[in-house]
Amino acid sequence: MSSKAIVRCFFRRCKEGELTLIPGEIVTVINQAKDNGWYEGINSNGEHGQFPGKCVELLMDTVSHSEVEEICDIDSNYEELDGVELRSKKSSSYSDTSGTQLFISTVHRAIESNDQDYEIIPEPKDKRDSNEQSPQRANRLYQFIKTEAEPFIAGKTVNTTKKIQLAFYENGASWVYSIVPLECTVTNPQTETKYSGMKKYISYQITPNDTNISVYHRYKHFDWLYGRLSEKFGSAIPIPRLPEKDLPWRFSEDFIQARMRRLQSWINRISRHPVISQSEIFQHFIRKTDEKEWKTGKRIAEKDEAVGGMIFSEIMPSTEFRLLDREEAEKCLTFAKCMGESVQNLITATEEYMVRCTGTLKFEYIKIGRAFSELSASFGKDSMRNALSFVGKTYEDIGNLHFDQPKQDVHSLTEISKEYKGLLNLYPDMIRVLKGALEKAHEYEKLVHANKVTLKEKEVIVCRAGIVSSAIEAEINHFNHELANDYKVTVQHFLYEQVQMYNKITDKLREAYARFEF
């Protein structure tokens, strides 16, 4: 029977079949080998392997999902190399190559092993006390800047030259899409150094399809981009998460490849968005090859005034802006709730399926196969013995097919579902901004009837509220299009791989059947 466990200390895979563990990660334990202290399980990425049982803490069945998330939040509050100090147990000194000492304070236990090369330096109490009074690090799952549009609706203006165009169709407002979609590839990870080799980092090659001119960025540059996009567009557009910052084994090949795949997935979604992909921030990120120009552009972006609720000031004027009614806003909330529950059910079902394929189902087929193999040994006739032996091998092969299959199909279905689960959780924040605009417009409708404001003042407010309403409607329509298209592609891929697997199983069973034609 499988069970959930939280990772309490770092473990790095040393050979094939082992699983790297990151503190705060939730893993599924499918087999507990009491004799040697090693467990078998699946991590949050769907990877299967063995790991020391002392590295994890089993969670009781009564632990709620929210409690698990709270544990993860506590245990995952780390920063990357720029903010971490590791001191070797073989040396009494330690270096601070960045000039600033930042510490890890949330890892509860470390591996108690004599061959461990490094220990974590806990944060000093005085620094920890001061940090408790500062705002907590933002939840990196999905960032949504909770900024009301009221200052914009009330008439606040900012300096901006960038204009975002909306189109209007039968189904409402829409962003204007490029004729040739932008695509960016993330490839060629390279280990680079600075400070005379004292500090290492990984840079990735980003190549847009329209120029094929590559730029190189490290993770901290992606993180900067994520922060700027969240600040600028967060009131109207949810920004998908980046892969989490991880400390240990950052330079292992498995980790580098896994992070590159996740960065590719992240930049794919950003590139497909018609507004974000054409923004000066993103264009600066994928175009600037000169370091001086890169730094200058960063400073300009950080001084941008059209951020938060003022992003609506960049919408181009139109006579077709319209206010959604409250009933439509409530329908959006109902949709998000129902879809969120459905997506969560799919996540649960696919995770259970992965556990079964990599655990009990494989061993059930192997058990049947071994039974046939043992039966074959009892027959003296060569033809019967060989046929039964082949049946045994066939069922063992079927078990191995089921074991390997989740990596081909179910994993991608689970990942896209988790991504949309996070996005759907942001719907209430988006609709809250929409409702605020609608309420402001209705408020001025009442004030004009009470002769407290002029008709012209009311029209200005209603027009600006219509801009907010139309922009959010465009984002909702974009989200619905992405949702349908992503699930269409992912489910098609899932079914195709399922067909391929069952065709292989059918072929193997037909071949086994033919062995008895003697």
Side-chain angles (χ1 to χ4, degrees):
M1 180 179 180
S2 64
S3 59
K4 298 290 185 181
I6 182 169
V7 179
R8 289 303 193 184
C9 54
F10 302 126
F11 173 71
R12 179 184 184 181
R13 58 175 288 184
C14 298
K15 59 183 180 180
E16 189 70 24
E18 294 181 351
L19 196 64
T20 295
L21 301 178
I22 306 297
E25 181 181 22
I26 299 298
V27 298
T28 302
V29 179
I30 59 177
N31 185 24
Q32 301 177 35
K34 300 295 186 180
D35 53 341
N36 60 6
W38 282 66
Y39 291 174
E40 182 182 0
I42 303 170
N43 65 11
S44 56
N45 296 324
E47 299 166 338
H48 177 273
Q50 295 183 338
F51 50 87
K54 64 183 178 181
C55 294
V56 302
E57 180 177 328
L58 295 174
L59 299 174
M60 295 183 297
D61 294 336
T62 55
V63 175
S64 67
H65 181 69
S66 61
E67 289 173 324
V68 171
E69 288 182 342
E70 182 179 354
I71 294 171
C72 292
D73 287 341
I74 292 173
D75 279 342
S76 61
N77 194 19
Y78 324 121
E79 296 297 334
E80 204 178 39
L81 184 60
D82 286 341
V84 176
E85 182 181 9
L86 296 177
R87 180 175 65 194
S88 173
K89 287 185 173 180
K90 301 172 184 177
S91 172
S92 59
S93 63
Y94 39 107
S95 61
D96 179 18
T97 58
S98 65
T100 303
Q101 292 183 344
L102 297 175
F103 301 89
I104 299 174
S105 61
T106 57
V107 180
H108 299 315
R109 294 196 299 267
I111 303 175
E112 298 174 356
S113 173
N114 293 330
D115 59 355
Q116 184 181 353
D117 292 331
Y118 295 95
E119 60 179 294
I120 303 299
I121 309 301
E123 184 178 21
K125 187 178 186 302
D126 56 347
K127 188 174 182 68
R128 185 166 61 247
D129 293 340
S130 65
N131 285 344
E132 290 176 354
Q133 299 174 1
S134 61
Q136 291 186 358
R137 188 166 69 94
N139 183 354
R140 295 179 54 82
L141 178 61
Y142 277 88
Q143 181 73 4
F144 193 95
I145 306 299
K146 297 184 178 181
T147 305
E148 296 287 356
E150 186 171 349
F152 165 75
I153 297 173
K156 181 180 177 180
T157 60
V158 294
N159 295 323
T160 179
T161 57
K162 179 69 176 178
K163 291 299 179 181
I164 301 171
Q165 187 176 358
L166 288 176
F168 296 87
Y169 305 103
E170 292 182 0
N171 64 336
S174 169
W175 303 121
V176 175
Y177 292 81
S178 300
I179 297 175
V180 180
L182 177 64
E183 296 179 1
C184 297
T185 57
V186 182
T187 56
N188 194 24
Q190 296 181 359
T191 303
E192 299 185 16
T193 62
K194 63 180 182 178
Y195 304 127
S196 301
M198 296 178 66
K199 182 175 181 180
K200 294 196 301 182
Y201 60 90
I202 306 297
S203 65
Y204 300 89
Q205 180 180 347
I206 297 96
T207 309
N209 64 334
D210 54 354
T211 64
N212 287 323
I213 298 176
S214 300
V215 297
Y216 286 85
H217 287 299
R218 54 188 297 193
Y219 181 88
K220 66 182 293 185
H221 297 159
F222 280 91
D223 200 34
W224 174 86
L225 174 64
Y226 172 82
R228 302 319 305 169
L229 293 178
S230 298
E231 182 179 11
K232 184 171 181 64
F233 297 105
S235 289
I237 302 171
I239 307 301
R241 68 174 178 179
L242 272 176
E244 283 287 345
K245 288 185 176 180
D246 291 297
L247 292 175
W249 334 132
R250 235 174 9 273
F251 306 113
S252 70
E253 187 63 25
D254 288 346
F255 177 84
I256 292 171
Q257 293 299 320
R259 170 170 279 185
M260 185 176 69
R261 288 194 300 270
R262 291 165 190 162
L263 289 175
Q264 180 68 72
S265 177
W266 184 83
I267 210 168
N268 283 347
R269 186 165 294 278
I270 297 297
S271 299
R272 290 198 305 267
H273 198 285
V275 175
I276 301 177
S277 63
Q278 298 304 315
S279 66
E280 292 179 352
I281 301 172
F282 187 67
Q283 289 292 315
H284 173 74
F285 179 80
I286 64 174
R287 307 286 186 198
K288 297 302 180 183
T289 57
D290 181 73
E291 185 175 359
K292 186 176 180 180
E293 291 181 352
W294 162 252
K295 291 182 178 179
T296 301
K298 283 179 64 178
R299 287 192 290 269
I300 294 173
E302 289 161 2
K303 294 178 181 179
D304 189 0
E305 296 179 1
V307 297
M310 296 310 298
I311 185 62
F312 299 105
S313 65
E314 294 190 347
I315 304 294
M316 291 180 64
S318 172
T319 58
E320 299 186 71
F321 292 137
R322 75 180 186 97
L323 287 172
L324 297 175
D325 56 42
R326 295 180 182 178
E327 183 179 347
E328 289 176 294
E330 290 299 330
K331 285 182 179 179
C332 290
L333 284 177
T334 302
F335 161 78
K337 181 181 179 182
C338 294
M339 181 61 71
E341 292 174 353
S342 300
V343 168
Q344 181 58 54
N345 289 338
L346 182 59
I347 292 171
T348 302
T350 53
E351 285 182 339
E352 290 176 352
Y353 177 75
M354 283 194 291
V355 170
R356 185 164 177 263
C357 284
T358 55
T360 57
L361 188 59
K362 172 187 175 180
F363 294 115
E364 286 172 6
Y365 277 106
I366 290 177
K367 186 177 180 180
I368 294 173
R370 288 175 179 172
F372 275 113
S373 296
E374 292 175 1
L375 178 63
S376 68
S378 302
F379 281 84
K381 189 177 180 182
D382 288 343
S383 56
M384 191 64 181
R385 183 170 63 250
N386 293 337
L388 286 171
S389 178
F390 188 83
V391 171
K393 184 180 182 303
T394 296
Y395 274 90
E396 290 186 15
D397 290 343
I398 292 174
N400 289 326
L401 282 174
H402 281 288
F403 179 84
D404 295 330
Q405 190 62 22
K407 292 182 289 186
Q408 308 298 327
D409 51 28
V410 184
H411 180 62
S412 59
L413 188 58
T414 304
E415 287 300 301
I416 198 70
S417 298
K418 288 180 178 179
E419 186 173 348
Y420 275 105
K421 176 64 177 175
L423 287 168
L424 288 163
N425 286 340
L426 297 178
Y427 247 65
D429 293 316
M430 190 188 304
I431 302 305
R432 179 181 54 77
V433 176
L434 172 61
K435 284 185 172 181
L438 299 179
E439 289 170 4
K440 198 68 176 177
H442 290 307
E443 177 187 342
Y444 269 72
E445 291 280 1
K446 294 178 181 178
L447 290 175
V448 77
H449 289 303
N451 294 322
K452 293 184 178 181
V453 298
T454 65
L455 182 62
K456 185 176 181 180
E457 289 174 327
K458 186 267 293 186
E459 289 176 348
V460 170
I461 295 298
V462 170
C463 178
R464 285 181 167 248
I467 292 174
V468 174
S469 175
S470 296
I472 291 179
E473 182 184 28
E475 179 58 27
I476 291 173
N477 286 334
H478 172 76
F479 175 85
N480 290 339
H481 172 76
E482 287 277 288
L483 176 70
N485 187 67
D486 283 344
Y487 268 103
K488 174 187 174 183
V489 172
T490 306
V491 173
Q492 279 183 324
H493 172 76
F494 169 78
L495 293 174
Y496 175 81
E497 293 295 337
Q498 286 277 296
V499 169
Q500 294 298 103
M501 181 189 72
Y502 283 108
N503 280 341
K504 291 178 183 178
I505 292 174
T506 301
D507 291 342
K508 287 181 177 294
L509 291 174
R510 288 185 186 280
E511 187 177 359
Y513 176 83
R515 293 298 178 104
F516 288 88
E517 295 178 353
F518 51 80

